[in-house]
Amino acid sequence: MKNDKSFAFTLAETLLTLTIAGVLMALMLRAINRVNPDKEKILFLKTYHALETVMANTINDSTKYSPNYYSDSEIDKMTTEEKNSLHLDFRYTPLPSAKVTFIKDGKQKTACPKVTKGDGTVDTQGCDVELTKDNAMCYFIADQLNSVGDVNCEEESVINMKTSQGACLRNFVGVYDGASDSQPNGSNDPVIDPLCNNQGYVIWIFHDGKMTVPEEHYGIGERQKKAYEWMNDQTDIK
C-alpha cells in the first residue's frame, strides 16, 4: 500500500521565507535606483547646469549687455534697499544690438530693444517684441537653451518655457519692485520645475551670472531643501 503524505511549511519556515524575500527585494530596489536614478533630480540638475552655461555666456556677451551692467544714472535713481540688492538681481538693460528669436503661437518671432533716435522717434528695429531689462534674460535663455513649444516671457506666474529635456522654467521674468516681502534681496525667484507639475525649486541668479540653490525659501519648506541636497550629491548625473 502506497504511503501518501502531504508536506506543508511551518509558520516559522513561512516567516523565514518572507524575511529572506523582503531582504532580497530591498537589495534589488537599491540596485534599480542606482541604475535608474530619480528622474526629477536628474532633470533639475541637468537644467541647472545648462542654465549656468547660458547665464555665463549671456552676461559676458558684449552684443547683449554692457560690461557695466547698470549705468551710473540708473544706480543713482535706486533706493538704498535696491542698491543693496544688486547682488541678487540679474536684470539689466540690454544693448540696442541684442536680438533673439523665439516661438509664440507656433510662429517664429523676434525680440529686440526699441531705440530712440536723435529726432525723438522710436525705432522698433522690425521686431515683434521689445526687449526690456525685465524680460531680456528670459528671452536670451529661451534662445540658447533649446526650448520647445511656445515661449512666454511677458507674463508673471506662468511657465516661461519648456526645455527639450522636458523641464519647465517659471518666474524668469523680472518682477521685483523693491518692496515685496515675497521677493527678498532683489531676487525675482526664478524656478526650475523638473516635471512641469508646479512643484518647482527656486534658484538664485547673481548679477555676474553665477547661480546657487538656497537651502530654504519662503512658502516652499521641505521641498526646497531637497533641491539643496541634490546640489550636494550629484553622483547620479551622467
Side-chain angles (χ1 to χ4, degrees):
M1 183 176 179
K2 188 176 181 181
N3 185 18
D4 291 329
K5 290 185 179 180
S6 59
F7 295 93
F9 288 110
T10 65
L11 178 60
E13 290 172 329
T14 301
L15 292 176
L16 179 60
T17 301
L18 291 175
T19 300
I20 294 173
V23 172
L24 291 174
M25 182 62 70
L27 293 174
M28 289 177 62
L29 287 176
R30 290 184 61 185
I32 291 173
N33 285 334
R34 282 197 294 270
V35 175
N36 299 299
D38 185 355
K39 178 181 178 181
E40 186 179 28
K41 174 183 177 181
I42 295 300
L43 283 174
F44 175 84
L45 291 173
K46 286 189 174 181
T47 304
Y48 179 92
H49 291 306
L51 276 172
E52 276 189 316
T53 300
V54 171
M55 292 299 302
N57 291 341
T58 300
I59 289 296
N60 294 296
D61 188 337
S62 59
T63 67
K64 292 182 173 66
Y65 287 116
S66 165
N68 296 321
Y69 303 125
Y70 289 101
S71 66
D72 291 338
S73 60
E74 285 180 307
I75 294 178
D76 289 340
K77 294 176 183 177
M78 293 179 183
T79 64
T80 300
E81 181 182 3
E82 289 173 326
K83 291 178 182 178
N84 292 337
S85 299
L86 289 179
H87 67 290
L88 271 181
D89 192 345
F90 63 82
R91 297 173 304 138
Y92 314 116
T93 301
L95 293 173
S97 58
K99 187 173 183 177
V100 296
T101 59
F102 63 98
I103 300 298
K104 182 71 173 180
D105 299 326
K107 298 179 180 179
Q108 181 171 295
K109 297 182 180 294
T110 56
C112 57
K114 290 181 179 179
V115 179
T116 302
K117 297 182 177 180
D119 59 3
T121 60
V122 177
D123 183 5
T124 61
Q125 302 193 77
C127 291
D128 301 295
V129 174
E130 179 186 5
L131 279 182
T132 68
K133 70 177 183 180
D134 286 333
N135 68 19
M137 187 58 73
C138 179
Y139 280 118
F140 292 145
I141 290 171
D143 188 43
Q144 297 183 55
L145 199 60
N146 193 21
S147 61
V148 295
D150 281 1
V151 171
N152 186 345
C153 291
E154 299 299 321
E155 299 180 60
E156 304 171 16
S157 303
V158 298
I159 293 176
N160 300 129
M161 69 198 77
K162 187 173 184 178
T163 71
S164 59
Q165 292 181 334
C168 288
L169 302 183
R170 296 188 280 108
N171 290 17
F172 277 78
V173 179
V175 295
Y176 179 66
D177 59 11
S180 173
D181 290 337
S182 64
Q183 296 167 349
N185 301 322
S187 170
N188 65 324
D189 303 343
V191 170
I192 297 176
D193 187 351
L195 303 180
C196 296
N197 60 358
N198 291 319
Q199 297 292 315
Y201 306 91
V202 168
I203 61 173
W204 283 351
I205 303 176
F206 296 83
H207 79 281
D208 56 1
K210 293 180 181 179
M211 295 167 37
T212 189
V213 177
E215 183 175 4
E216 298 179 352
H217 196 78
Y218 299 100
I220 296 181
E222 292 299 319
R223 191 168 77 244
Q224 183 65 28
K225 290 183 179 179
K226 184 163 63 172
Y228 179 80
E229 291 172 356
W230 287 342
M231 290 303 298
N232 293 312
D233 178 16
Q234 301 188 37
T235 55
D236 290 332
I237 293 298
K238 299 177 181 178

